[in-house]
Amino acid sequence: MGKTIVVYGSSTGTCEAIAGKIAEKIGAEAINVADLTADVIAENDNLLIGTSTWGAGELQDDWYDGVDTLKGADLSGKVVAVFGCGDSASYSDTFCGAMKELYDAAKAGGATVVGEVDIDGYTFDDSDAVVDNKFVGLALDDINEDDKTDSRIDAWLEQINRSLK
């Protein structure tokens, strides 16, 4: 596997912990999106990018600059996979919706985006991150469904490992 980095935006520590689990499982480094630069992007073949979702489906605050960094970089030839953390009970109408903005930025930059996840097995009402009955990435609810987090990460990593450079 080519050089891979896990990039997260986290306000409460949940998405940071998830990013740490993912990075450990694949032997990669996890960094805060505040440390994401064009050089970091250029040095890596694969980017696994994650955000928590806030309010009415908004990105975690640090990701607003991170999205600008993604949009300013040449992502052609890069493989990107998106993951997100949300609360499917309290925010059932915007569950993990912020993933869509990361997905859109990666696609616009020319990246090959992998890691869609079927919505079966999830309990929520709506999400901007659902396209054709699939999440654009790995959706996790570590608040209400923490018993499913590890198995969802493992299944997602097994899926995307086939596509990573």
Side-chain angles (χ1 to χ4, degrees), residues 44-108:
N44 288 277
D45 302 307
N46 307 301
L47 295 101
L48 281 56
I49 56 178
T51 184
S52 48
T53 299
W54 292 92
E58 287 104 31
L59 283 169
Q60 188 273 341
D61 288 344
D62 296 330
W63 261 113
Y64 288 100
D65 288 338
V67 165
D68 288 342
T69 301
L70 284 176
K71 287 180 176 177
D74 179 11
L75 299 178
S76 57
K78 307 278 184 196
V79 176
V80 173
V82 180
F83 64 96
C85 302
D87 180 341
S88 64
S90 299
Y91 298 95
S92 154
D93 58 337
T94 60
F95 178 59
C96 288
M99 288 193 306
K100 182 70 162 68
E101 197 160 343
L102 297 184
Y103 171 86
D104 288 344
K107 289 290 262 188

Side-chain angles (χ1 to χ4, degrees), residues 7 16-17 19 23 28 33 38 46 50 63 66 85 93 97 120 126 129 131-132 136 139:
V7 183
E16 179 179 7
V33 66
N46 307 301
W63 261 113
C85 302
D93 58 337
D120 290 344
D126 194 21
V131 176
D132 296 330
V136 296

Side-chain angles (χ1 to χ4, degrees), residues 19-39:
K21 282 184 183 187
I22 291 169
E24 183 178 323
K25 287 177 183 277
I26 62 170
E29 178 184 6
I31 67 165
N32 190 306
V33 66
D35 298 322
L36 182 66
T37 64
D39 287 342

